[in-house]
Amino acid sequence: MKRHLLVGKLGPTDDPTVLTRIDEVRSDVQLLNAGGMAYGVQTALNELRKFDLVPNEIGIDLLALGALVYAADTRIARATEAQDGWTREIRISLPVSDVAAWERARPVIDRALGFLSGDRWEIEFRTRPVGKGRLGGDAPLLNTDLGGVNLFSGGLDSLIGAIDSLAADERPLLVSHAGEGAGSKAQYLCHAALKAKFPQRRFEWVRLPMVFAHDLAEGVGSETSTRARSFLFFAFGVAAGTALRRPFDLKVPENGLIALNVPLDPLRLGALSTRTTHPFYMARWREIIAALGIDGSLSNPYWAMTKGEMVDACADKPFLMTIADKSISCSSPAKLRWAGYAQGHCGYCVPCLIRRASMPDGDPTRYFLEDLRQRPLNSAEAEGVQVRSFQLAIARLRDRPDLAKILIHKPGPLYDHDLDDQGRMAGVYARGLEEVGRLLDGVRTRPR
């Protein structure tokens, strides 16, 4: 087990004195190259500039911080670097444009990251080196007529969010992280379908392609749990929002069942279940935005809805159903390659099951495990693990409906929300499980 320090550097002359502690491994990450910002950030900035959008310097800092968090999360293996096989100790040193502003936000950032990933994070800020005071370039004189920012992952929820925004003529800027193949392809297909459907609507789309070398931390393997990746997504969304030069709302479309992500069994407590859009985490982001003096906010308009309710309430459901198959919801679509198939929906992971339950009639999606009732599913293998867990969770809640009010607190605290909000969360959790329960009615599993 080793503690890790990632030092962000702005150019070859940036050689900060950052003391390495005992049992701490230092990895320097060069955030600038000959073409500008490294690791895909400059590509995203160039795309924004095509629409006369330039993030302010705090926004540039956010992108740099998001990059370092993403690097640490994906390139420091839990199995070898954590004492308990999960909790890593990660320190980040980052040059920023306004140390005072970032120091105000630092305690909340540390807390948000710890809650999100289950690791121990320590973020330190230092002044940018001489000559690197401005990295984004001059902002255009004219303000854009784009009205807000929507995260656009290529999933079904983000597709519904985009359709609803466009139907309401909100003129959104869609922002995406260009990740692995299936998700990236889905983003292109969904965007093309939206452009064809809404040719007169004003909206744009930008992507942040980001990848780090596997040997970023010398002698350390990569990590696939990616619990902290939404920090990068949100950082990009907020940075893009600062480029609008007006008050903005960053919309994060996610159904309530996934946002809460109550563990289906007692072994998946805390960060072992993802907290990507958990209400507590999103509340911390609103605090971060305020502490940094950014004139914007962040919201999930669908936090009190199940995925099926989102589908039914979509502003153009007939259109949604014609293009839903272009979106991707599978937790790891690349795993089908091991079976000799193209990337796509496995049909049996948690997101696939929730997706299938949301479109009981006329689901156009093709699933690798097409028929859940054809034979008993082996709950000792991937095809039956989540099905069996859902069945047990559904049966438990049917026996004791009042448990919903308790179980919604299992993934993390909800004290930022009043009792009415918590009651609605318990309701969406119960309805979400019932939705999946209808899908799994008659599905047989073989116990482990």
Side-chain angles (χ1 to χ4, degrees):
M1 174 269 175
K2 294 185 281 294
R3 290 185 261 182
H4 284 266
L5 165 65
L6 269 64
V7 179
K9 300 175 68 173
L10 294 178
T13 61
D14 185 10
D15 188 20
T17 301
V18 181
L19 296 179
T20 303
R21 299 169 184 169
I22 298 175
D23 297 330
E24 191 175 52
V25 177
R26 172 171 171 165
S27 301
D28 288 358
V29 182
Q30 184 53 259
L31 298 170
L32 285 181
N33 56 31
M37 297 291 287
Y39 303 109
V41 173
Q42 192 62 47
T43 300
L45 293 177
N46 292 343
E47 289 297 310
L48 285 168
R49 187 170 279 279
K50 289 180 181 178
F51 311 122
D52 292 330
L53 298 175
V54 177
N56 65 21
E57 293 304 313
I58 291 286
I60 300 294
D61 293 337
L62 259 177
L63 284 170
L65 177 59
L68 291 177
V69 168
Y70 188 67
D73 189 43
T74 58
R75 295 298 178 257
I76 300 176
R78 295 183 186 274
T80 60
E81 307 308 296
Q83 290 185 18
D84 58 0
W86 183 266
T87 307
R88 300 165 295 186
E89 296 185 48
I90 302 169
R91 186 161 63 109
I92 287 176
S93 174
L94 175 70
V96 293
S97 59
D98 186 342
V99 172
W102 281 100
E103 280 298 318
R104 289 195 299 270
R106 182 179 53 78
V108 187
I109 294 171
D110 289 345
R111 191 178 188 195
L113 285 170
F115 175 81
L116 182 64
S117 73
D119 300 302
R120 296 180 63 184
W121 296 83
E122 187 177 347
I123 313 298
E124 300 172 356
F125 303 105
R126 64 182 195 273
T127 303
R128 287 181 185 174
V130 176
K132 306 298 181 184
R134 291 191 60 82
L135 298 176
D138 295 331
L141 296 177
L142 298 177
N143 287 328
T144 179
D145 61 347
L146 291 169
V149 184
N150 286 27
L151 291 193
F152 188 64
S153 66
L156 185 63
D157 288 7
S158 74
L159 177 58
I160 292 171
I163 292 173
D164 288 351
S165 289
L166 290 170
D169 196 22
E170 292 179 354
R171 307 185 306 282
L173 172 66
L174 309 179
V175 298
S176 306
H177 172 243
E180 54 80 29
S184 187
K185 180 181 179 181
Q187 292 165 6
Y188 276 107
L189 293 175
C190 290
H191 175 256
L194 292 171
K195 277 293 187 184
K197 175 65 177 179
F198 300 100
Q200 304 304 317
R201 292 287 195 273
R202 174 76 165 103
F203 72 102
E204 302 295 350
W205 177 44
V206 293
R207 303 206 315 157
L208 171 62
M210 182 170 288
V211 65
F212 288 88
H214 288 283
D215 61 351
L216 180 76
E218 187 176 354
V220 177
S222 295
E223 174 61 37
T224 60
S225 60
T226 60
R227 286 297 185 265
R229 62 181 176 179
S230 74
F231 192 89
L232 173 64
F233 301 167
F234 289 11
F236 183 32
V238 174
T242 68
L244 299 178
R245 307 291 170 172
R246 64 176 64 173
F248 68 91
D249 181 38
L250 170 61
K251 290 186 178 180
V252 184
E254 187 79 270
N255 70 84
L257 185 61
I258 285 288
L260 285 170
N261 203 18
V262 175
L264 296 176
D265 64 61
L267 296 179
R268 285 185 273 191
L269 292 176
L272 293 176
S273 285
T274 58
R275 293 162 158 177
T276 301
T277 53
H278 189 274
F280 180 86
Y281 173 63
M282 293 193 56
R284 303 289 74 74
W285 258 98
R286 286 188 283 273
E287 291 180 354
I288 293 170
I289 291 170
L292 292 174
I294 295 173
D295 194 2
S297 189
L298 175 147
S299 66
N300 175 7
Y302 306 100
W303 67 269
M305 301 174 72
T306 70
K307 202 180 194 81
E309 290 166 352
M310 286 183 66
V311 170
D312 288 340
C314 180
D316 195 335
K317 184 178 177 181
F319 169 60
L320 171 67
M321 298 307 292
T322 65
I323 66 167
D325 61 330
K326 300 182 188 303
S327 65
I328 190 81
S329 301
C330 188
S331 62
S332 50
K335 64 178 174 280
L336 296 184
R337 287 178 174 172
W338 296 104
Y341 293 86
Q343 296 184 82
H345 289 92
C346 68
Y348 50 77
C349 67
V350 168
C352 276
L353 292 171
I354 294 174
R355 178 190 176 101
R356 296 178 79 150
S358 73
M359 297 181 285
D361 302 313
D363 184 355
T365 312
R366 295 184 62 184
Y367 299 98
F368 172 70
L369 183 58
E370 184 175 1
D371 187 353
L372 294 171
R373 298 175 178 80
Q374 185 177 14
R375 55 178 172 78
L377 303 177
N378 186 353
S379 60
E381 297 181 358
E383 67 171 26
V385 170
Q386 311 301 348
V387 172
R388 182 69 173 165
S389 293
F390 260 120
Q391 289 175 329
L392 293 173
I394 291 164
R396 177 176 55 176
L397 202 61
R398 284 175 177 170
D399 289 341
R400 296 185 58 191
D402 284 348
L403 275 179
K405 297 177 182 178
I406 299 172
L407 294 175
I408 59 170
H409 296 270
K410 290 291 185 181
L414 290 172
Y415 60 75
D416 293 276
H417 300 267
D418 59 31
L419 292 178
D420 287 342
D421 276 356
Q422 294 185 42
R424 293 175 70 188
M425 290 178 194
V428 74
Y429 171 60
R431 297 195 310 276
L433 283 191
E434 281 299 314
E435 207 167 86
V436 178
R438 290 190 288 273
L439 169 75
L440 299 182
D441 186 31
V443 176
R444 297 167 295 159
T445 55
R446 286 187 286 143
R448 300 180 185 184

